[in-house]
Amino acid sequence: MINEGFFLKRPQRFGDICKIYPPSVNEIIDNPNFPLYRKLLTISQEEIEDLYIEKNIEGRVPTPLEYLLSASYNEKKTESILKEAITFFVHDKVSFLYEQKSIVIGDLSELVKTLKSVEELKLIKEDNFFNFQNLIREALGEKPIEPPNPNEDPRVKRIKAKARYRDKIKAKQGLGLKLSTTLAAICCMGFGLNPLNIGEISYASIPVLIRFYQEKDKYETDVKSLLAGADSKKVKPKYWIRNIED
């Protein structure tokens, strides 16, 4: 499902806490730390579980928020990068309340000057961090994920873990398109985007544009094939302007 606001590079509200700003292509390219921002803020419970298995770490697996705050607490560089990552998307300063397992949106040093009670703070906590992550995913053109099932069958869990491992191997082999390749392809699609303006579009719009162009191209190719005598039982054109949910 396409988030219209992020597609149009419009910020979306995250409750009454903050806004999430979808980055443009230029902002992605201009920030060398973006891949790290993405990795930190979209890490899932399953990925942390996989990490614990790979490193043979025993004990309770932390939630994504616990994992990030723990890493930040133990290393100042990680703390700095995580703050940068959140600021990149919310366009505001952030502070960490480690004992409360909370992220404060806003300049805490300024907030305390007028703060009447802790309840006035805009906090990202355990009960809303999953939704925060999903909104970040959507701001990057990714699909939101389902929350982990604590009662999931261990066999199903193992199958999913193996699938994630295969996906990770494929990613390391570089089977996906590079951003530069994708941008060049979009500039050749004939709807007005070129190297002079493509940097202004939202990063979230890229996979949508690519997918709809592929559907349009397939539809037109199928129609031409039928007109050329292809078997109508094998070639079934599917009109490209439709809701695409997969």
Side-chain angles (χ1 to χ4, degrees):
M1 182 181 295
I2 302 169
N3 185 308
E4 298 92 341
F6 289 147
F7 180 82
L8 296 174
K9 207 172 67 174
R10 306 293 299 173
Q12 303 293 290
R13 288 214 64 85
F14 177 56
D16 62 351
I17 298 173
C18 63
K19 289 183 179 180
I20 304 295
Y21 291 79
S24 67
V25 172
N26 278 339
E27 289 171 324
I28 295 295
I29 293 175
D30 289 343
N31 197 316
N33 285 328
F34 168 72
L36 187 52
Y37 295 170
R38 181 183 212 155
K39 182 178 180 181
L40 289 172
L41 295 184
T42 63
I43 191 168
S44 67
Q45 185 70 51
E46 291 81 5
E47 288 172 324
I48 298 173
E49 290 175 359
D50 292 345
L51 181 63
Y52 268 52
I53 292 172
E54 290 172 14
K55 294 189 175 182
N56 294 315
I57 302 175
E58 298 182 355
R60 174 182 168 275
V61 179
T63 65
L65 180 59
E66 290 173 334
Y67 178 79
L68 293 175
L69 289 179
S70 175
S72 296
Y73 182 79
N74 291 310
E75 187 176 347
K76 285 298 179 183
K77 183 176 180 181
T78 301
E79 181 185 55
S80 177
I81 290 293
L82 183 57
K83 286 182 178 180
E84 284 180 20
I86 299 172
T87 296
F88 181 78
F89 286 98
V90 305
H91 290 192
D92 203 345
K93 291 184 177 181
V94 298
S95 300
F96 299 151
L97 300 179
Y98 291 108
E99 291 186 5
Q100 289 76 25
K101 294 183 183 179
S102 300
I103 299 171
V104 180
I105 302 298
D107 188 343
L108 189 58
S109 62
E110 291 297 322
L111 292 173
V112 294
K113 295 178 181 178
T114 57
L115 194 68
K116 295 180 180 178
S117 68
V118 178
E119 285 71 28
E120 294 180 11
L121 291 174
K122 304 295 184 182
L123 300 176
I124 297 176
K125 303 181 291 184
E126 197 66 71
D127 61 359
N128 60 11
F129 188 66
F130 180 81
N131 292 332
F132 176 76
Q133 284 189 297
N134 265 343
L135 207 52
I136 294 292
R137 292 184 180 100
E138 290 188 76
L140 295 174
E142 300 177 12
K143 294 179 183 177
I145 65 174
E146 294 294 324
N149 179 7
N151 302 314
E152 189 171 49
D153 188 316
R155 292 170 296 181
V156 175
K157 209 167 189 176
R158 284 195 295 270
I159 292 172
K160 290 182 177 179
K162 288 180 180 179
R164 290 194 299 271
Y165 179 76
R166 289 195 297 269
D167 291 341
K168 189 182 295 186
I169 294 299
K170 287 181 180 179
K172 287 182 178 179
Q173 292 173 341
L175 299 180
L177 290 178
K178 294 180 180 179
L179 178 59
S180 56
T181 301
T182 302
L183 295 178
I186 292 176
C187 288
C188 296
M189 291 178 182
F191 45 73
L193 289 175
N194 58 63
L196 298 179
N197 61 21
I198 195 170
E200 299 303 318
I201 68 173
S202 69
Y203 184 74
S205 69
I206 291 178
V208 180
L209 294 174
I210 289 289
R211 179 61 192 275
F212 272 89
Y213 187 83
Q214 290 173 331
E215 293 294 331
K216 179 176 181 288
D217 185 61
K218 185 178 186 307
Y219 171 76
E220 293 176 346
T221 299
D222 286 348
V223 170
K224 290 176 182 178
S225 297
L226 289 176
L227 293 175
D231 188 345
S232 60
K233 293 182 179 179
K234 296 181 179 179
V235 180
K236 298 182 182 299
K238 194 172 184 179
Y239 195 52
W240 63 280
I241 300 180
R242 66 182 192 278
N243 293 325
I244 301 175
E245 304 296 343
D246 59 351

